[in-house]
């Protein structure tokens, strides 16, 4: 209950510090018989790797994932899947300066307030590198969802004040965009904006949007474990996220009900909706439309600009943070948003199976 | 795990349908020795009562809470606190029409998709009346937090497009405002806007803001159980919430890091921050500043205006929903946001106690 | 997490004190569409009622169960089922004496040690009356299991030193035996033994045995959530239980492996075992044979005989406990053992559904 | 929820197969600031190592533990502690025979029934080697308890029919006894008995007893999470355990209440009891006396003697299991019982901290 375990049926336990021996995750509760290879995981790991993205740190790590358990003859066995990455260059740096003060926007102060001391090497457990375990587990969840015809796709919706025009969106362009945007014009502008920020020793935030297609209606539980509530927690738990929107989100609060309600209709003999302002969820349960969420990321707190803060002796000082830092984390966060969304949904998909007696009886051959 | 249980240490279990026998909640894990009277609970119940607020349904219910267990001689005993309200006028209405089709924006369709059928009387478990159990439990959590010097205060930040000007905010005005706004001018405008919407047989959404003061630094856990992640789930689980923002929220994603970072400083010999863009949380752990969140509510889906939808035979039809309906739920939702925020925080406050050995040893008299 | 919530998918939350307003339970996670009437519950309630059994207290209560939510048109809706019984004669007695000292064998001292004070009226939450919520919820679990062809049947295996001869067992006799034994000769001896104990102002313990038939192979999880581990917790949580045995239990530790191993064989084309020393579980997973457990109950701690103890001022005193007390609780505990066993198994039956991909894909129509 | 995660606050997640890449555990929720070195863990690992005990398999593994996270400058940081052991000789053997049939007394059949197939190499996840993660985590829990003045000590109480005479018990002898018994005479007899069994190609079970001293009164929760119920689950989850007794256990069910009740008394100014039949727990809450439990282990199912069983084609066959097998697992299980007991208690010790308001307020400096 100290915070590094997530999920009910599909339960993951992540571990590891930025500059410790390594990082990893144990996935318990993955159904047996899922075809899974290290390549399935590595593909996701590579998408969050520093080197893979232009505007991110140049730390030289290949983050090769090792799967140590839970797979036999290419399939999951139903027992825990342990995956890890060993850190490579974790012993070199000098952290005496960073250990002596509290960086604005970072968790230095709050970890000290909670635990009395902290592993200050590279941010320890509060480092963005912590997402490595999320993504490895997320790759498993995505594989599971894919087998059920469900896809999860995220991209940068905005970078700082530059927003993608979704009317011009080309999903195939996302992987070519250095900022993972689906709109070339906005992507170019965002790049220019980023360069300017970096030149000014500053940083930039943005918004990641994620779309889940192929989801059956009827997923999610009433009251506290609503589909969107579970997603909100999963996504808000990603470092630097400051807002989560579902469907029209904040905009829904500004318009009248007659405009926000989505009318049900029949298309090709199937129940659907004329619009999707709700983002695919009604009363906390999926309605069969695309599920849509947006996560707003604050700008990277590590900046080279001079800043005021205090040191461990409670003296007010001025600092300039040295070293390599992403001017933006949004592009690398895209795969993390996908991962957390997939983990939350896979868990709910598995829970759904016991929701009604007809299904239970059919499963046990009593119908 | 079907969704009506919330919390880890302070665990609540709510139950009841809009038009069933009654509604209630069982609170397990409340520390023993907390002074608690039915009046403490009733005060919160009254704030969510239809009759207490001008622009809400006129259902004639006094929602008198009964406490059936867990209190002895005016104090909690450490065992479960069972509280309930009996429904009064739950047998009268004719629901045959509502049972026959799927209301846009409601959970009718998704409950049917999940369970194969639904309790269609007044929305059953998906009714706003479900929040009754949340508020009764929330009152207990607020009492617990108050004893530790922590206060939780919410109000309407906006109604439809009308936003309160926080520079003019007067917290004492909130309880006088018919829409629970802290700014008289905005409140008056909001009232006019609401009247217009009601006249047009339409409905309105809005934003609730909640401020928590007196919170010690060091609450919340790393990675998945971050302070803000837990709050996001708690608040997003309230029906009709479509977005949750922490601190500057969405706006933080638009500005540079140098502007968004809050500098630490010393004031009156204590650590604090020059600004509070973060909303009181860093790396998922409280930093000792005020915690600030906003929840965006969609407009009430029940509107009298003609709408398109489908019936249970999958035929496209037009409907006009009859009966009493709130043109806005935001004012009544204020106390629900407070309640969920308090429940989430009380749970984390109790969990914090076992975070470091010094505290554990001191507690057990070994230091 | 204060102890009154049980289960993962089928999650129950019990509440109530012996001499408070009432007692009850909220059952969340019961699949929708299960046919359930108050009579299904009342039948179980009646089996644990004092008046129903000869050698038990004569408290005049009919323990009529009320179902307040979660049922619509005779079927469960998938939302929480709230059930309660109001206490009838809860305000009369004088508890000043019992409040002043610690009864041997009771929880008086430990509740004070934990909470600083206690609800001393009739034992409060530590009273045997607490099992009321377990049995109401257990009746739901039994109904669910019955629909899947699984039956749960318990009886008294021994009363004090008198043991039933299972070679002479007649399950139809159990309900006629005043001590719920399946062997008339042993039952008669046990009655005589009980009379003698009561005459001597003393009390008696015993062993309850429970047999579960019709259980499919493959239920239960590896390592910590083994089928038998979950049952052990569920049954050991019943007040007064001091030992739990599975299959041959303790006796298995005395014989060689060649004698204890059960050989697999084929009977009527189906896999079965030549013997069932294991009690239906191998490696923590059900093997398709009958599941067999025994729970040993200590003698009722409330006895009229003079006893030594201490009072709240830590003075050593002698006491004679007055009032009505069961000389034996074993017969009334039979239905409680059935209930806890059924609750544990129903939860595991529902969890099993997501154990392998073939089943998941079949459920979602992808196979 | 697939069974390899244990605990609420101190939560562990074990992983690994007998003949996979390795085995390990992630411990989340250990309070920060606990002094912990690899030696603290290795000492426990060595006690369960095959080579350390005379009557156990001769697999050549040193089981060197590696700690990969959660420790900084010799102390726990409050973040997950990941520990692992790499398997050394995991690729060599031929398992085609074992893959083809179901060994009596093993989990081969039940894993197939559950998952559709199994990792048959050395028993996979159902191997006794799975306890490695339990013991590594258990060593952390023991360290935590020791800092609070609580000790956990287990030993073999009986081997097959040979029982230690506790009147002659010498706890210092346990580590010298090849069967971990505290009574030299019984130990010698047990050795002779074991030799005979091994010569007859058979195996032997036994009973492990565990005593916890220094436990404060007031640990454990009412109703479902009783101290003894949690221990029962933890210990019953160890492979081959068929019975768990607390205090006098089964024997308590045979004697009258006047004999079984423990009278409270005052000794050296402190509350204690004249006897300890209850084994240190009353109403599910610790009473400050020694906590005593016994776990009965069935004989090792792997025996060289000819046995009847079936193969995967459901044909009845006769088998002789080859290879190295412990004729008894009891001596090696001693440290596993200690570990599970310590994990269960440490979790409850941490939970206890939030049980009453006085303690909560004192912790937060409000008293």
């Amino acid at each position: 209950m100290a915070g590094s375990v997530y999920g009910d049926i599909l339960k993951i336990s992540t571990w590891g510090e930025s500059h410790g021996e390594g990082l990893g995750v144990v996935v318990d509760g993955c159904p047996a018989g899922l075809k899974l290879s290290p390549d399935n995981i590595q593909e996701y790991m590579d998408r969050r790797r520093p080197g893979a993205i232009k505007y991110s740190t140049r730390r030289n790590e290949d983050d090769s994932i090792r799967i140590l358990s839970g797979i036999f003859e290419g399939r999951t066995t139903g027992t825990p899947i342990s995956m890890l990455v060993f850190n490579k260059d974790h012993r070199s740096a000098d952290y005496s300066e960073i250990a002596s003060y509290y960086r604005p926007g970072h968790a230095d102060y709050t970890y000290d307030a909670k635990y009395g001391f902290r592993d200050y090497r590279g941010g320890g457990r509060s480092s963005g590198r912590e997402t490595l375990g999320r993504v490895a587990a997320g790759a498993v969840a995505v594989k599971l969802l894919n087998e059920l015809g469900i896809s999860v796709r995220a991209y940068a919706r905005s970078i700082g004040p530059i927003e993608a025009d979704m009317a011009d969106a080309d999903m195939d362009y996302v992987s070519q965009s250095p900022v993972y945007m689906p709109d070339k014009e906005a992507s170019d502008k965002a790049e220019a904006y980023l360069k300017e920020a970096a030149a000014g020793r500053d940083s930039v935030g943005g918004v990641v949007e994620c779309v889940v297609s192929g989801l059956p209606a009827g997923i999610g539980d009433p009251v506290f474990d609503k589909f969107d509530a579970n997603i909100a927690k999963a996504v808000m738990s990603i470092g630097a996220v400051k807002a989560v929107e579902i469907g029209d989100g904040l905009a829904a609060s500004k318009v009248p009900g007659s405009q926000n309600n989505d009318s049900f209709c029949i298309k090709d003999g199937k129940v659907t909706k004329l619009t999707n302002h709700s983002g695919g969820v009604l009363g906390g349960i999926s309605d069969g439309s695309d599920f849509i969420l947006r996560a707003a990321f604050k700008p990277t707190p590590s900046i080279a600009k001079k800043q005021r803060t205090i040191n461990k002796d409670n003296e007010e000082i001025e600092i300039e943070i040295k070293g390599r830092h992403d001017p933006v984390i949004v592009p690398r966060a895209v795969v993390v948003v996908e991962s957390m969304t997939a983990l939350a949904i896979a868990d709910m998909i598995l829970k759904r199976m016991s929701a009604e007696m007809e299904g239970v009886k059919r499963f046990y051959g009593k119908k």
Side-chain angles (χ1 to χ4, degrees), chain A:
Chain A
M1 214 163 66
S4 289
V5 177
Y6 178 81
D8 289 324
I9 290 187
L10 187 69
K11 200 185 277 286
I12 74 170
S13 187
T14 72
W15 58 271
E17 282 84 37
S18 172
H19 288 63
E21 299 274 332
L23 301 103
V25 63
V26 181
V27 179
D28 196 20
C30 181
L34 179 70
K35 275 181 198 139
L36 195 71
S37 73
D39 286 353
N40 297 137
I41 312 297
Q42 195 61 48
E43 181 193 333
Y44 272 73
M45 302 304 292
D46 290 348
R47 286 177 58 197
R48 71 161 292 291
R49 221 177 9 148
I53 294 167
K54 212 169 164 183
Y55 295 95
S56 61
T57 59
R58 264 129 293 166
R59 181 167 167 177
N60 184 17
E61 304 206 328
D62 61 2
D63 286 351
S64 299
I65 197 84
R66 287 184 62 176
I67 305 183
L68 301 182
S69 69
I71 309 282
F72 184 58
E73 297 179 344
R75 290 187 296 165
T76 58
T77 59
T79 62
I81 306 165
S82 178
M83 300 181 279
L84 67 76
V85 164
F86 283 106
N87 282 331
K88 293 208 169 145
D89 55 0
H90 62 93
R91 274 176 218 277
S92 42
D94 173 16
Y95 295 101
S96 55
E97 192 179 318
I98 218 168
S100 73
Y101 59 70
Y102 299 122
R103 291 169 295 167
H106 275 278
D108 301 340
Y109 175 69
T110 53
Y111 269 64
D112 264 16
K114 174 153 204 170
Y115 300 116
F117 72 112
R118 71 184 191 277
D119 180 349
Y120 44 73
R121 301 165 304 166
R125 184 80 180 136
S126 73
S127 160
R129 199 156 162 74
E130 159 267 308
T131 58
L132 195 148
R134 300 178 188 245
V135 172
V140 177
V142 165
K143 193 74 167 53
L144 190 161
L145 294 178
N146 288 349
E147 297 247 333
L148 301 174
I150 302 163
S151 68
V152 182
R153 181 89 195 240
Y155 44 84
R157 179 69 192 267
S158 64
I159 296 287
I162 318 293
E163 190 160 348
D165 182 348
M166 295 311 288
D168 292 344
D170 171 8
M171 287 305 148
D172 293 335
Y173 181 69
V174 173
S175 58
Q176 298 167 52
S177 161
V179 292
Y180 278 32
M181 267 183 157
D183 161 14
K184 186 170 185 338
E185 200 180 316
S187 175
D188 291 345
K189 276 190 205 160
E191 253 199 288
Y193 181 79
L194 267 176
K195 269 182 203 157
E196 199 184 337
R201 311 174 80 189
D202 217 329
S203 66
V204 170
V207 172
V208 173
E209 187 163 84
C210 184
V211 179
V212 182
S213 301
L215 205 54
I219 310 299
D221 283 306
V223 190
F224 302 117
D225 286 329
K226 290 191 163 85
F227 191 91
D228 33 356
N230 282 337
I231 298 277
K233 171 166 179 168
V235 171
M236 189 68 91
S237 81
I238 303 170
V241 172
K242 300 302 289 181
V244 176
E245 295 187 292
I246 309 296
D248 284 4
L250 200 55
S253 74
K254 312 289 182 200
V255 300
S258 59
Q259 190 175 323
N260 186 64
N261 281 350
D262 301 309
S263 285
F264 288 100
C265 64
I266 304 293
K267 203 173 157 183
D268 304 332
K270 285 186 162 172
V271 175
T272 183
K273 297 173 337 193
L274 288 174
T275 50
N276 188 18
H277 300 297
S278 76
V281 64
L282 284 168
I285 300 176
S286 67
D287 67 12
S289 309
D290 279 0
F291 176 74
I292 298 160
L293 78 95
R294 278 177 306 286
F297 288 78
K298 70 176 185 181
T300 322
S302 288
I303 55 174
K305 255 191 181 164
K306 187 174 286 187
Q307 295 183 90
R308 290 178 58 181
T309 191
I310 58 168
N311 64 20
K312 293 200 73 165
D313 300 323
N314 281 2
E315 296 161 335
E316 300 193 342
I317 58 171
E318 287 200 327
I319 60 165
E320 287 175 57
I321 299 172
K322 284 159 201 128
R324 55 194 180 193
H325 299 288
D326 286 5
V328 68
I329 60 161
V330 173
R332 292 179 63 189
V334 162
V335 70
V336 184
V337 171
E338 276 183 22
S339 294
M340 291 310 301
T341 302
L343 283 162
I345 293 178
D347 200 26
M348 292 190 277
I349 281 274
L350 298 178
K351 276 187 228 174
R352 162 66 182 86
M353 295 178 73
S354 57
E356 27 80 45
M357 272 319 278
E358 291 305 293
V360 177
K361 284 158 88 169
R362 215 181 313 115
F363 185 90
Y364 282 108
K366 298 292 172 187
K367 198 79 194 187

